[in-house]
Amino acid sequence: MNRITARRRHPLARYAVLLFALALLGGVYTVAAPAGQSADAAIASGKVDDVAAGKKLFEQSCASCHGLNLEGTKTGPTLVGVGAAAVDFQVSSGRMPAAQPGAQAPRKQKYPWVNETTIRQLAAYVQSKGGGPAVPSDDAVDPAKGNSAKGGELFRANCIQCHNFVGAGGALTEGKYAPDLNSSTPKQIYEAMVTGPQAMPPFNDSTITPEQKRDMIAYIVEVRGQKDPGGFGLGRIGPVTEGLALWVVGISLLVLAAIWITAKRRQKKS
Amino acid sequence: MSAKIGINEKSTVHQPSITETPKAIAGVSTYLDDRLGAGNFLKRNLRKIFPDHWSFLLGEIALYSFIILLLTGTFLTFWFKPSMAHVVYDGVYEPLKGVGMSEAYASSLHISLEVRGGLLMRQMHHWAALLFVAGMMVHMLRVFFTGAYRKPRELNWLIGILLLTLALVEGLTGYSLPDDLLSGAGLRITEGVMISLPLVGSYITFFLFGGEYPGTDIISRFFTLHVLLIPGILLALISAHMILMWVQKHTQMPGKDRKNTNVVGAPFYPAFMAKAGAYFLFTFAVTAGLGTFAQINPIWLFGPYTPADISAGSQPDFYMGFLEGSLRLMPAWEINFLGYTLPLSVIIPALLPLGIIMTGLALYPFLEQWVTGDRREHHVCDRPRNNPHRTSIGMAAISFYGLLWLLGANDEISAKFQISLFVTTIVGRVLVFVLPVVTYIVTYSICIGLQRKDAEVIGHGVESGVIKRLPSGEYIEIHVPPADDIADHMLGKRPVAMLPGAGDGEAEPEGVPPKALRGPIGKLRAKMSRAYGGEKVAIDDGHGHHDDHGEHAAIGAGDGGHSNDKK
């Protein structure tokens, strides 16, 4: 006791007390804060800084279409409540920010400033405005943990009418289309299902459970990774390319063969 | 040296020669000939003459594909189970393990993924099926455009149309058998077309499917149709087709010494037989090559058929594509009358284009005869340009068919080329009427242009590349007569026949027309005959004055005249 009281007038004591108080405050805050706030995943995991940085990015690259407060404009829908999953899907696949307005934003090369950090920051900002579906965990989208056969049945029942048997994509009305699923990451497939981007309907967790989503991801990933046992896959879009191959390769070759055979004639003896 | 002596010694003993038949062959042949009497038949037929032209081989694509189809199809039946009984898949394909499906689908998967060589056989069977129909189509177009269907071959033409129709049905029943999701979509459309027929539709559908769609019978019924009934009829009709062709002799292209009364070409044995045999091997090679290197109908990717599921890009095989296209183009019209629905949006696209094309094909030889009054026998083919209206009608039909066929894939076109789906439909609805007309006009002009070119080549010769300067300073290019075979080919042209009394050229005849050409139909017939028949561009072969004029003929040629003007 004496030792402490003896040094209480030490010139550094006031700093020590201040440091202790700050540490205590910080410690209590980190323990108490999550319990005290809404269970908002983005804010909980992210730092307050992410939201601020995200806001800045948003104002630079998104606000011209979606509005300064995510309220939406004539050229872009409102983003209130779309959630971090929607942001992650759109921005990580290069669809957003869009290059130009159109029926549908295509998957494209990402802008140089887009990376994991900036996507997380943007997602945190959008999530802070009205919540919405969160980015799924790696475990939730792991194809290895899904049952591809079950996923296949769900895939055929829910997805192929637009995306084709093997996810080769297809056309929709009014210039829209269902993109092919060959370059989508498992995470993006999951996010597309929960958020229903562009022309796609959302499949929330009560329609298709998270496990079922993982099964479907397992099916898509397994089938698209298959080596075609029958030779060249012809784009896997069915009889259209098969018919094309038949006429362009098959009939052409046989016509050439016919011309060749009949060009050979017996020399006239004279 | 010693070997040579040996041979000499032998030859003094026996003296074999190449004109003498070895005993091993002569003995067996005589034995067979005494019992079958085949020698006489062969003697008469082995030397049968076949004219040589590459397009005459196109029909053989279909013939040889049919043989390949029989062989590979037999292989497939060893493992295929034509049953719709429900099974749970337990094969090697992981993404379908534990999935419920029909036995037909499960056995097709087994053939594809587990039976040794099964996938190759399945793929060859499918490619050969496509080649079968495509071969028929190109063969039919050749026969049409060269007028080879004319008397006496009208019946063989009809057999051909029947063969094509049956081939379409054979294809439809065939690709429905694996009972995968894609084939099910085709089956569903078939059912939709059937049930849309007025009055009888629902009865026919229930009769075929054995009750409510899809029922449990359709696969086994299609199997019997596909492997027994239709191939049997096809085989019989193909034989009839070949026998008629053999008896009537093949048509030939116009050329030197080729007349309606002879056939110029190579004998069946050995020349034509070698060519036909080689062509079989080519067909087999193409089928095997495609079957090896190009995946077709990957049923494991499609999944089992459930009436509730449907995929984007569900197309039929190519020969059904035009029906798919017409269905996609059709506006959603239907008539509701006294509680009955007449779905025009299904009946019209399903029956109208098919009806126009198939009926048109079947009737064409007879319509042409009616218009031209031509009842003569024809054994020399027309060059397509020399009957411009026929060629234009054919091309218009091709454009109509081709457009519908193309639009059967409009969703793939839309997706791959970023064209709005609606645009393809709207453009298609206009083009389906406009394109045949435009094609007709363009083709007609091209035919007339080609005829003029022929007339010019015969009348003035071909450019020799030699420029000559006349004493007056004028330059002319020397034209020389065309090569004999080309000239003979061109001079084989005969004017298209016209009804007697129908008039001359565009002018109406003077005086009272014959009885058949009176009345509104008769007048129309006469008018059509005037337009269809006759000589559009007469070839003046310049015989007689060709030699006298010499260089003058060259001066008169198109190019010479032009250089005159420029000077």
Side-chain angles (χ1 to χ4, degrees):
Chain A
M1 192 67 185
N2 270 348
R3 254 171 54 201
I4 295 170
T5 49
R7 297 192 179 180
R8 70 178 180 219
R9 291 185 196 281
H10 192 275
L12 290 177
R14 70 182 82 167
Y15 299 108
V17 169
L18 199 64
L19 211 65
F20 177 72
L22 276 174
L24 191 70
L25 192 71
V28 170
Y29 178 82
T30 40
V31 174
Q37 288 212 344
S38 67
D40 220 42
I43 293 180
S45 64
K47 296 118 206 168
V48 186
D49 296 352
D50 272 1
V51 176
K55 185 170 195 292
K56 216 168 170 191
L57 285 167
F58 187 88
E59 281 162 1
Q60 278 167 8
S61 306
C62 318
S64 59
C65 294
H66 293 293
L68 276 171
N69 293 311
L70 292 74
E71 75 277 18
T73 66
K74 268 182 222 156
T75 46
T78 174
L79 297 184
V80 173
V82 300
V87 176
D88 190 65
F89 172 82
Q90 300 281 0
V91 181
S92 72
S93 66
R95 289 186 167 82
M96 289 289 150
Q100 73 259 332
Q104 195 169 324
R107 171 181 279 271
K108 63 178 188 299
Q109 191 77 36
K110 285 181 281 228
Y111 290 109
W113 61 265
V114 176
N115 54 41
E116 250 179 64
T117 318
T118 49
I119 293 172
R120 194 189 63 232
Q121 288 165 343
L122 265 178
Y125 175 63
V126 173
Q127 183 80 2
S128 73
K129 303 275 185 177
V135 177
S137 66
D138 288 343
D139 185 63
V141 300
D142 189 356
K145 290 181 177 145
N147 178 335
S148 61
K150 275 186 191 160
E153 286 187 287
L154 288 162
F155 185 69
R156 284 189 289 277
N158 294 292
C159 312
I160 64 170
Q161 51 267 63
C162 301
H163 285 289
N164 161 303
F165 303 105
V166 288
L172 299 174
T173 53
E174 293 179 335
K176 297 190 194 115
Y177 58 91
D180 73 67
L181 305 179
N182 293 333
S183 35
S184 312
T185 63
K187 207 174 175 186
Q188 286 166 352
I189 296 171
Y190 190 101
E191 288 163 349
M193 284 192 269
V194 264
T195 62
Q198 316 214 17
M200 181 164 162
F203 297 88
N204 62 32
D205 286 355
S206 56
T207 317
I208 292 175
T209 66
E211 270 123 70
Q212 289 176 327
K213 288 194 175 91
R214 190 162 63 185
D215 291 345
M216 288 157 85
I217 290 168
Y219 181 78
I220 295 166
V221 171
E222 178 164 351
V223 168
R224 79 182 178 195
Q226 264 170 21
K227 199 173 172 299
D228 286 316
F232 180 53
L234 300 174
R236 289 181 166 185
I237 59 167
V240 174
T241 43
E242 291 163 8
L244 206 61
L246 178 89
W247 284 87
V248 173
V249 178
I251 291 292
S252 302
L253 282 179
L254 285 173
V255 165
L256 288 176
I259 292 172
W260 189 44
I261 286 179
T262 46
K264 306 251 170 214
R265 261 177 217 168
R266 196 152 52 156
Q267 296 297 315
K268 266 201 188 123
K269 285 172 216 160
S270 54
Chain B
M1 213 48 200
S2 60
K4 209 173 179 182
I5 293 164
I7 289 170
N8 284 340
E9 280 172 354
K10 230 183 198 170
S11 65
T12 52
V13 178
H14 183 230
Q15 279 192 341
S17 75
I18 45 166
T19 50
E20 191 179 296
T21 317
K23 207 179 169 192
I25 296 175
V28 176
S29 318
T30 313
Y31 179 88
L32 285 176
D33 195 25
D34 289 348
R35 279 150 191 84
L36 299 173
N40 240 342
F41 175 81
L42 288 178
K43 207 182 277 171
R44 261 188 293 121
N45 285 291
L46 276 180
R47 300 298 292 176
K48 185 121 188 148
I49 297 293
F50 277 84
D52 234 358
H53 191 268
W54 66 270
S55 67
F56 296 167
L57 289 183
L58 295 176
E60 294 182 23
I61 299 176
L63 179 66
Y64 302 142
S65 307
F66 186 70
I67 295 170
I68 299 169
L69 282 170
L70 291 180
L71 295 174
T72 51
T74 307
F75 180 92
L76 295 177
T77 57
F78 294 160
W79 287 276
F80 180 70
K81 297 192 183 82
S83 149
M84 291 172 92
H86 191 83
V87 293
V88 173
Y89 183 70
D90 190 30
V92 292
Y93 188 64
E94 206 61 37
L96 284 175
K97 236 173 200 167
V99 173
M101 57 182 64
S102 70
E103 228 178 333
Y105 184 59
S107 62
S108 303
L109 288 175
H110 178 69
I111 293 172
S112 306
L113 303 171
E114 288 167 78
V115 173
R116 184 163 301 181
L119 183 59
L120 178 66
M121 286 293 165
R122 244 202 72 222
Q123 297 204 138
M124 277 179 71
H125 191 72
H126 207 125
W127 281 117
L130 298 192
L131 211 53
F132 181 52
V133 184
M136 282 178 156
M137 285 177 173
V138 288
H139 170 60
M140 186 195 72
L141 290 176
R142 197 280 298 170
V143 171
F144 180 84
F145 283 119
T146 58
Y149 55 77
R150 290 174 296 175
K151 190 181 172 187
R153 297 184 177 77
E154 302 101 316
L155 291 183
N156 222 12
W157 171 257
L158 286 181
I159 291 177
I161 305 293
L162 213 54
L163 278 169
L164 182 61
T165 316
L166 279 172
L168 298 187
V169 182
E170 178 73 345
L172 175 80
T173 50
Y175 72 64
S176 298
L177 287 182
D179 202 21
D180 57 282
L181 190 48
L182 182 63
S183 78
L187 201 57
R188 184 55 144 173
I189 294 180
T190 313
E191 188 246 351
V193 169
M194 270 183 182
I195 211 166
S196 75
L197 296 174
L199 302 175
V200 292
S202 47
Y203 295 97
I204 291 185
T205 315
F206 269 61
F207 175 69
L208 179 73
F209 286 88
E212 194 73 59
Y213 177 88
T216 52
D217 295 331
I218 192 67
I219 295 292
S220 50
R221 288 181 182 179
F222 269 17
F223 182 72
T224 310
L225 293 178
H226 183 76
V227 307
L228 186 71
L229 186 65
I230 303 175
I233 303 174
L234 279 175
L235 198 59
L237 287 177
I238 289 173
S239 309
H241 201 68
M242 305 296 295
I243 290 170
L244 269 177
M245 183 271 292
W246 192 280
V247 171
Q248 293 177 336
K249 300 171 192 70
H250 205 284
T251 50
Q252 55 189 341
M253 285 292 177
K256 188 172 165 54
D257 297 333
R258 297 187 184 175
K259 292 179 292 221
N260 264 326
T261 47
N262 69 1
V263 186
V264 178
F268 180 76
Y269 178 85
F272 189 74
M273 212 167 87
K275 286 182 182 190
Y279 204 52
F280 172 71
L281 295 179
F282 271 113
T283 312
F284 197 90
V286 166
T287 313
L290 282 169
T292 309
F293 296 112
Q295 181 164 285
I296 190 165
N297 202 21
I299 49 165
W300 56 91
L301 294 176
F302 300 155
Y305 181 53
T306 342
D309 297 351
I310 183 78
S311 169
S314 289
Q315 261 91 13
D317 276 356
F318 88 84
Y319 42 85
M320 293 288 179
F322 77 111
L323 293 175
E324 175 83 17
S326 64
L327 196 60
R328 289 179 185 210
L329 272 194
M330 185 68 193
W333 294 346
E334 62 176 37
I335 294 172
N336 285 298
F337 182 70
L338 295 177
Y340 291 97
T341 303
L342 190 63
L344 298 177
S345 54
V346 180
I347 296 185
I348 290 180
L351 301 183
L352 197 66
L354 189 71
I356 289 174
I357 288 170
M358 288 300 187
T359 319
L361 282 171
L363 292 183
Y364 198 84
F366 307 100
L367 286 175
E368 191 181 54
Q369 263 179 33
W370 186 71
V371 168
T372 59
D374 188 358
R375 308 244 183 270
R376 294 168 301 174
E377 286 207 356
H378 291 278
H379 298 286
V380 177
C381 291
D382 281 331
R383 296 173 78 203
R385 68 188 64 174
N386 290 339
N387 192 332
H389 279 290
R390 176 205 290 149
T391 305
S392 306
I393 290 169
M395 288 306 293
I398 289 179
S399 70
F400 174 72
Y401 179 94
L403 184 80
L404 292 180
W405 180 14
L406 186 73
L407 288 170
N410 69 344
D411 58 335
E412 300 295 359
I413 292 167
S414 167
K416 302 294 165 204
F417 299 105
Q418 271 101 48
I419 302 167
S420 166
L421 194 69
F422 286 178
V423 170
T424 63
T425 309
I426 293 162
V427 170
R429 282 176 184 170
V430 177
L431 280 186
V432 78
F433 296 106
V434 175
L435 194 64
V437 177
V438 173
T439 312
Y440 189 96
I441 295 167
V442 170
T443 311
Y444 190 83
S445 310
I446 292 174
C447 286
I448 297 296
L450 288 171
Q451 283 195 31
R452 287 207 182 105
K453 180 72 188 163
D454 287 356
E456 190 199 311
V457 167
I458 296 297
H460 301 296
V462 290
E463 292 162 5
S464 62
V466 178
I467 308 285
K468 201 169 174 180
R469 188 176 171 192
L470 298 184
S472 61
E474 180 189 356
Y475 288 97
I476 57 160
E477 181 171 12
I478 306 285
H479 281 56
V480 293
D484 281 348
D485 54 341
I486 293 176
D488 287 330
H489 190 46
M490 287 174 175
L491 288 170
K493 179 185 179 189
R494 296 287 170 267
V496 182
M498 213 192 286
L499 278 174
D504 205 12
E506 296 302 308
E508 286 205 32
E510 289 174 20
V512 183
K515 211 171 185 181
L517 302 183
R518 288 176 215 159
I521 293 179
K523 275 184 185 147
L524 178 73
R525 190 179 168 195
K527 205 175 171 193
M528 283 165 75
S529 192
R530 271 199 303 283
Y532 194 92
E535 187 76 299
K536 309 292 173 202
V537 180
I539 289 188
D540 172 21
D541 67 355
H543 279 313
H545 55 92
H546 203 78
D547 300 326
D548 308 338
H549 288 248
E551 280 179 2
H552 271 306
I555 297 167
D559 286 22
H562 280 298
S563 62
N564 268 348
D565 294 341
K566 271 176 205 159
K567 188 184 70 177

